[in-house]
Amino acid sequence: MMCRALVVATVLTAAMSLAACGTISRTDPVPLRLVEGEIMPTIDPRIRPDDEERLLAMQKDFSARLAEPDSAGTLLALSGGGANGAFGAGLLVGWTQTGNRPEFDIVTGISTGALAAPFAFLGPEWDDELQHAYTSGVAEGIIGIRGLSALVGPSLFSSAPLRRLVDENVTPELLRAIAAEHATGRRLLVVTTNLDAQESVIWDMGLLATQGDDQALVLFRRVLLASASIPGVFPPVLIAGLYGDKVVEEMHVDGGINMPFLAIPEGLLVDSPPRTGLGKPSVYIVINGQVGRDPQVVRGSLRSIVMSTYDSMSRASTRTHLVANAAYAERHRIDLRIAAIPVEAQVSALNFDRKAMTDVFEMGRARALAGDAWFDAVIDGQAVARPETTPPER
């Protein structure tokens, strides 16, 4: 997305202009379930690529809801996109107002999508909180220069404003509500990127919420903060992990580094037979950004060249993931719907101004109410909608 393109351009330009080298301490205390100073064995909410048992269990869970003969599950995937996450928030609120928003069996979120995912998971009753997070102005100030410390630190900006936003919205009440829904079999998943291992980590946030103590609240907040921490813009988040009998620190950043969204797990995309049966599962993917190409003359400056290069790479990656998911959906007769910001819209993922975010929110809401938010294919880089664009009632 444009957000990461701008970030990369800014960071690379700064790196080539400055001789300073920033570091981050790897000895900070990090949340881990502790009782009287000792580590307590507990179910780790992380699903790592090398954890074959838990990864297979997750894939079976997805398959049972989407790929079995009588599957009738619903999945919502929310992508990254910085301030443009207001688009997905507005779309969900508008969808509620149409009266046909379904209850999702699985909700996944990456980056800004991770911040919205808990509210989307809990349903229309939490729409007010979702709208407040994106339109009340509480996000203003997220991008604030750190001054000279930016030249010797791990990021250009402090994560303090973003951390306050997360802390204010992730409350004990929210965790209790998520734990209750998790107990019914529904799933809330968030993705971060473990820079040390160079891998995506999927967090079972409902499982974490069921732990129900103060440390679960701290870790829940840290995971959301990490998923939204764009490298170079915000500092990485250090999270402790257990490997055998050893406690190690993991450096986690924006979940969108390796994947733009999480809908169909990779293991199912590459190895699953076509679905038969009468079930009618649905997958909804909300891209908090633009998917289509946006041809324009690029200025000859270093910043413009780098920004345009990475924006093109990011959009192409998103389209590739969408095509792979669309192929799976067609093979398994899944109703796949995709929503994205129109390519002609003038938006910025780094503009956290209240009016700008409210405008993007209203764009999403208006498209949901008008019934023209959804498409189901990407052809030659452009979004193509089916004749009937309103999501089916469930």
Side-chain angles (χ1 to χ4, degrees):
M1 297 298 169
M2 194 65 172
C3 178
R4 290 186 190 88
L6 179 58
V7 167
V8 172
T10 303
V11 172
L12 287 182
T13 302
M16 288 183 281
S17 303
L18 302 171
C21 178
T23 61
I24 185 171
S25 170
R26 301 304 300 272
T27 60
D28 291 347
V30 288
L32 193 64
R33 192 173 188 188
L34 302 175
V35 175
E36 296 179 355
E38 295 186 1
I39 299 170
M40 295 295 295
T42 185
I43 298 176
D44 194 328
R46 277 165 275 219
I47 304 173
R48 301 182 176 91
D50 60 354
D51 188 342
E52 294 185 6
E53 182 178 352
R54 296 203 64 201
L55 193 61
L56 182 60
M58 184 193 73
Q59 291 176 0
K60 286 183 176 179
D61 190 20
F62 273 70
S63 180
R65 300 170 195 267
L66 301 174
E68 298 299 324
D70 296 323
S71 295
T74 57
L75 181 148
L76 173 68
L78 301 171
S79 84
N84 288 335
F87 173 79
L91 186 148
L92 285 166
V93 171
W95 198 351
T96 295
Q97 293 170 353
T98 67
N100 64 359
R101 173 177 161 182
E103 179 181 83
F104 305 107
D105 296 295
I106 300 174
V107 175
T108 73
I110 287 178
S111 196
T112 188
L115 303 182
F119 302 119
F121 179 72
L122 292 177
E125 295 80 7
W126 289 75
D127 277 0
D128 288 346
E129 288 81 358
L130 176 62
Q131 182 170 351
H132 180 269
Y134 283 93
T135 66
S136 67
V138 295
E140 287 185 322
I142 282 182
I143 299 295
I145 294 293
R146 299 174 61 189
L148 292 178
S149 63
L151 306 183
V152 295
S155 62
L156 293 177
F157 307 108
S158 167
S159 63
L162 178 59
R163 185 168 59 250
R164 284 195 296 270
L165 176 65
V166 172
D167 290 351
E168 289 172 4
N169 284 279
V170 178
T171 62
E173 179 188 6
L174 182 87
L175 257 66
R176 287 192 294 270
I178 290 172
E181 293 301 322
H182 179 83
T184 69
R186 299 176 63 222
R187 296 293 177 259
L188 171 62
L189 305 174
V190 164
V191 181
T192 65
T193 302
N194 181 342
L195 279 186
D196 295 320
Q198 297 185 345
E199 65 185 18
S200 296
V201 177
I202 300 171
W203 297 79
D204 187 337
M205 304 302 280
L207 181 63
L208 176 57
T210 61
Q211 184 173 307
D213 56 18
D214 290 342
Q215 292 196 65
L217 180 63
V218 171
L219 182 53
F220 197 105
R221 289 169 172 171
R222 282 219 173 189
V223 171
L224 295 190
L225 178 63
S227 186
S229 293
I230 306 167
V233 176
F234 302 117
V237 177
L238 300 178
I239 302 177
L242 280 175
Y243 284 85
D245 58 352
K246 295 182 179 180
V247 179
V248 300
E249 283 183 333
E250 300 173 345
M251 180 179 281
H252 288 261
V253 296
D254 192 330
I257 298 301
N258 289 342
M259 63 174 75
F261 57 85
L262 172 63
I264 309 300
E266 288 183 2
L268 295 182
L269 287 175
V270 300
D271 184 24
S272 61
R275 186 179 69 88
T276 60
L278 300 177
K280 294 182 179 179
S282 300
V283 171
Y284 302 95
I285 302 174
V286 178
I287 304 297
N288 290 303
Q290 294 158 312
V291 176
R293 299 185 182 92
D294 183 23
Q296 55 185 289
V297 176
V298 178
R299 294 182 179 180
S301 67
L302 172 63
R303 183 174 180 272
S304 295
I305 293 171
V306 174
M307 184 169 64
S308 181
T309 298
Y310 280 88
D311 182 40
S312 179
M313 290 172 59
S314 179
R315 294 193 192 203
S317 173
T318 298
R319 291 195 297 268
T320 298
H321 279 79
L322 288 174
V323 168
N325 279 265
Y328 179 92
E330 182 176 3
R331 188 166 69 248
H332 290 82
R333 297 189 298 111
I334 295 172
D335 182 39
L336 174 69
R337 299 297 177 96
I338 305 162
I341 296 176
V343 70
E344 66 274 10
Q346 298 298 310
V347 296
S348 170
L350 294 180
N351 187 356
F352 291 92
D353 174 76
R354 179 178 183 178
K355 182 181 184 305
M357 292 186 68
T358 300
D359 288 346
V360 175
F361 177 93
E362 292 300 337
M363 180 198 307
R365 174 156 60 181
R367 292 182 69 84
L369 289 172
D372 62 359
W374 303 95
F375 59 91
D376 67 342
V378 177
I379 300 176
D380 193 27
Q382 302 301 321
V384 178
R386 62 178 65 185
E388 178 192 20
T389 55
T390 302
E393 294 189 18
R394 299 190 61 83

